[in-house]
Amino acid sequence: MALDFLAGCVGGAAGVLVGHPFDTVKVRLQVQSVEKPLYRGTYHCFQSIIKHESAFGLYKGIGSPMMGLTFINALVFGVQGNTIRALGKDTPLNQFLAGSAAGAIQCVICCPMELAKTRMQLQGTGEYNLKSKNYKNSLDCLLKIYQKEGLRGINRGMVSTFLRETPSFGFYFLTYDSLTRYLGCEVEDSYIIPKLLLAGGMSGIVSWLSTYPVDVIKSRLQADGVRGVVQYNGILDCVRKSYHEEGWKVFTRGLTSTLLRAFPVNAATFATVTVFLMYMRSEENLRECEAGPAIQQPSSL
């Protein structure tokens, strides 16, 4: 359990550093006004943020995921590994169930973290030098939301986060396990790192594709009211109004930047976690792994 925790922290940090710029672009595209859009697409959004807000604009809100990754990855890899062991058999169905359990439980931390991240990412949109800041950092953002709206405000978007994370993590771990088995990721394989990167990257893509429309709704709900106007009364109201105003394409807004982010982020995360566990386990446990035909999911190494 301790190694699952440490591996998750290291892998999560690697993933956040690689993928946060893409996440900033995704959020900006998801919540921009359809009447007066600031960005024409993924590349234009990247270009505009760097031009008007500097390269550091791409890393707005990174404090929130960095603060939360320790707890989130501890929960994800700890719960997933222990659930697999509790279920007894390492089957595809159990991989999905264990991943889903991990995704559901970590929502308690993930939702407030992403709320702060979203608010920070939207702060000073289009400004190179911010004239005024509503929030100094992610922690200040959460404190101010709590002071104004209480626990309900801190947990805004919790249901949509749960609906996104639960099946998403199920597909995440299922895909990774299936691909590592298919690719034959044996411990002494000289090509193990490229194989792990491929398996991790594809797992991220499948995971996002499985629940992306729900992520759009979550982002809109968490960004609602930032500019002083509250538009949505809940998930169904957000779905109805978004579809009515912008059509079905609204539910794929920001998908390109998300998929561009998903591959390197999850390739870095899973490869880092797996390699970390490979070298941190005792030689006895490593020999037990070598006796098997392929590397299992990171938390069962």
Side-chain angles (χ1 to χ4, degrees):
M1 184 67 176
L3 285 180
D4 290 341
F5 175 87
L6 290 173
C9 293
V10 175
V16 170
L17 288 173
V18 170
H20 193 77
F22 293 98
D23 188 70
T24 299
V25 170
K26 180 204 74 169
V27 171
R28 293 283 182 92
L29 290 172
Q30 284 179 336
V31 305
Q32 71 174 340
S33 170
V34 65
E35 290 85 9
K36 297 179 180 179
L38 289 174
Y39 313 113
R40 295 190 296 271
T42 300
Y43 178 74
H44 181 247
C45 187
F46 265 110
Q47 189 180 47
S48 296
I49 291 173
I50 293 173
K51 180 179 179 181
H52 297 294
E53 304 172 47
S54 82
F56 291 106
L58 293 169
Y59 284 92
K60 283 182 176 178
I62 195 173
S64 180
M66 277 296 185
M67 283 192 300
L69 71 89
T70 297
F71 302 103
I72 285 179
N73 283 280
L75 284 172
V76 167
F77 287 96
V79 171
Q80 193 269 347
N82 278 280
T83 303
I84 280 289
R85 288 187 281 272
L87 291 172
K89 292 185 179 180
D90 188 3
T91 64
L93 176 59
N94 286 347
Q95 282 288 341
F96 182 84
L97 293 175
S100 296
I105 291 175
Q106 58 91 42
C107 288
V108 177
I109 297 171
C110 177
C111 180
M113 184 200 78
E114 293 205 353
L115 175 65
K117 174 183 67 66
T118 298
R119 296 292 177 88
M120 290 293 293
Q121 286 172 326
L122 295 176
Q123 182 170 248
T125 300
E127 298 180 36
Y128 192 89
N129 292 312
L130 291 182
K131 298 177 182 178
S132 62
K133 291 184 178 181
N134 292 323
Y135 313 115
K136 297 176 183 179
N137 50 52
S138 297
L139 181 59
D140 180 58
C141 177
L142 288 175
L143 286 173
K144 287 183 176 177
I145 293 173
Y146 176 76
Q147 290 170 358
K148 185 178 180 180
E149 305 175 52
L151 285 175
R152 185 174 182 179
I154 289 292
N155 290 300
R156 175 177 291 188
M158 178 63 77
V159 176
S160 55
T161 300
F162 177 83
L163 293 175
R164 182 194 71 178
E165 298 292 82
T166 302
S168 176
F169 270 88
F171 286 112
Y172 187 50
F173 282 98
L174 171 61
T175 303
Y176 183 75
D177 182 71
S178 299
L179 284 176
T180 51
R181 292 176 187 275
Y182 177 78
L183 294 171
C185 296
E186 298 178 356
V187 174
E188 295 185 352
D189 188 347
S190 58
Y191 296 102
I192 187 171
I193 299 299
K195 288 180 178 180
L196 291 175
L197 290 171
L198 176 61
M202 292 306 299
S203 299
I205 288 177
V206 171
S207 173
W208 275 107
L209 286 174
S210 67
T211 58
Y212 189 77
V214 183
D215 183 66
V216 175
I217 299 304
K218 181 202 71 70
S219 292
R220 291 193 158 210
L221 289 172
Q222 291 187 326
D224 196 26
V226 169
R227 296 179 178 87
V229 180
V230 177
Q231 294 179 279
Y232 311 117
N233 294 320
I235 294 175
L236 293 179
D237 185 54
C238 183
V239 171
R240 182 178 59 81
K241 288 180 178 177
S242 297
Y243 177 77
H244 178 73
E245 294 172 5
E246 304 173 55
W248 66 268
K249 288 186 178 180
V250 68
F251 300 113
T252 62
R253 182 181 287 183
L255 180 59
T256 300
S257 62
T258 299
L259 296 182
L260 286 173
R261 167 182 175 266
F263 192 94
V265 167
N266 293 286
T269 299
F270 257 129
T272 301
V273 168
T274 304
V275 172
F276 181 89
L277 287 173
M278 284 170 56
Y279 286 97
M280 291 299 291
R281 297 289 189 191
S282 66
E283 290 186 5
E284 181 180 354
N285 286 336
L286 283 176
R287 284 196 295 270
E288 290 177 1
C289 287
E290 289 171 359
I295 288 181
Q296 308 300 310
Q297 74 287 347
S299 51
S300 66
L301 273 171

